[in-house]
Amino acid sequence: LIDGYNLPEGLFRKIIAINQKRELTTEVRTSGLIGTLLTELIVQNTAESRQAILIPEFVRAAEKYLEQHFREKVPLQELADMLHVDVMDGLFVPNISIGIPVVKCIRPVTDLPLDVHLMIDRPVRYVEQFCDAGADIVTCHVEADSRENILEALSRIHVKGKRAGVVLKPGTSATAVLPFINQVEMILVMTVEPGFGGQKFMADQMKKLGAVRGLIDTMNPQCELEVDGGIDPDTAPAAIEAGANVLVAGSAVYGAEDIAARIEALRGA
């Protein structure tokens, strides 16, 4: 399962407005999913006293770039089983990533199921919108709201016909899944602190992962057990041995020179 948060970053757009009397150059730097795209737009304005600056909108460009990325540069359709999408709000975690508009952009350009991991405060407010945007699985942190509201979020996801899950941060005990375990199709155990990619795998979470596997096997055997954080060919075997059957890999995949070979290595872990 590939982590979409680690797509390349670093989009530069240079917008050059040329007026009959003078030249105006404005450089705009943005970052995000588009990554390697460099756009130069030249606008000629024949009006005597006006200058025109044209600024392409990121979200509209994202869909075109993502289609090229997924279908041509990184044909994940043929390599992965799902696409993991990390959503961060800057409140529940100290980082901000993507939201509903980008999930909408991803949906038309891949047939892979979208596993949307909501690292947001009070997810009950937005789960329906993410389902409508194209998510197939929506997971909510048990720490992000009250028990009642997390259960309500899971119910709303199911009403939309989608699969629901809960997520545990490293400091949260395995037993925290008990109020939700019969209402979910997936439990995600984080092996890094949520919020940033590229962190070191927390091997001390394997005991908890095994405990969650025991609860699943006893109470909801059809539930998937997912692990996310520092997963690579070296750490994946420990996660699998502890009971995980869904592996999320971001930096390990997108940082590899040969993405296809890296995914095969993870499959063989």
Side-chain angles (χ1 to χ4, degrees), residues 3 5-6 192-193 195-201 228-231 250-252:
D3 189 348
Y5 177 67
N6 287 272
V192 298
E193 289 294 339
F196 296 91
Q199 298 182 61
K200 185 178 179 181
F201 177 76
D228 181 7
I231 298 296
S251 300

Side-chain angles (χ1 to χ4, degrees), residues 173-187:
S173 69
T175 55
V177 305
L178 289 174
F180 317 104
I181 194 166
N182 291 316
Q183 309 298 321
V184 296
E185 288 75 42
M186 180 178 285
I187 295 174

Side-chain angles (χ1 to χ4, degrees), residues 61-178:
E63 183 173 341
K64 181 176 181 180
Y65 174 78
L66 287 168
E67 182 170 13
Q68 180 187 32
H69 184 82
F70 287 130
R71 298 196 187 282
E72 298 176 17
K73 293 186 178 180
V74 185
L76 295 179
Q77 190 73 34
E78 303 171 9
L79 302 173
D81 301 299
M82 290 186 276
L83 181 67
H84 188 79
V85 182
D86 282 331
V87 177
M88 310 178 197
D89 65 355
L91 294 174
F92 182 72
V93 293
N95 199 4
I96 296 175
S97 62
I98 62 179
I100 295 165
V102 176
V103 174
K104 286 182 179 178
C105 290
I106 297 171
R107 180 68 286 167
V109 300
T110 180
D111 295 327
L112 290 172
L114 299 185
D115 172 25
V116 177
H117 173 196
L118 298 183
M119 289 177 267
I120 67 175
D121 186 54
R122 294 170 290 159
V124 68
R125 299 173 297 160
Y126 294 107
V127 291
E128 292 164 306
Q129 291 95 315
F130 278 102
C131 290
D132 292 340
D136 297 286
I137 307 169
V138 180
T139 56
C140 307
H141 274 264
V142 301
E143 309 92 352
D145 208 338
S146 67
R147 177 186 302 185
E148 292 75 19
N149 284 345
I150 296 299
L151 286 169
E152 176 63 22
L154 301 177
S155 175
R156 293 185 185 187
I157 295 166
H158 286 144
V159 167
K160 288 289 186 178
K162 306 304 177 81
R163 287 177 282 171
V166 291
V167 190
L168 302 181
K169 294 170 69 174
T172 303
S173 69
T175 55
V177 305
L178 289 174

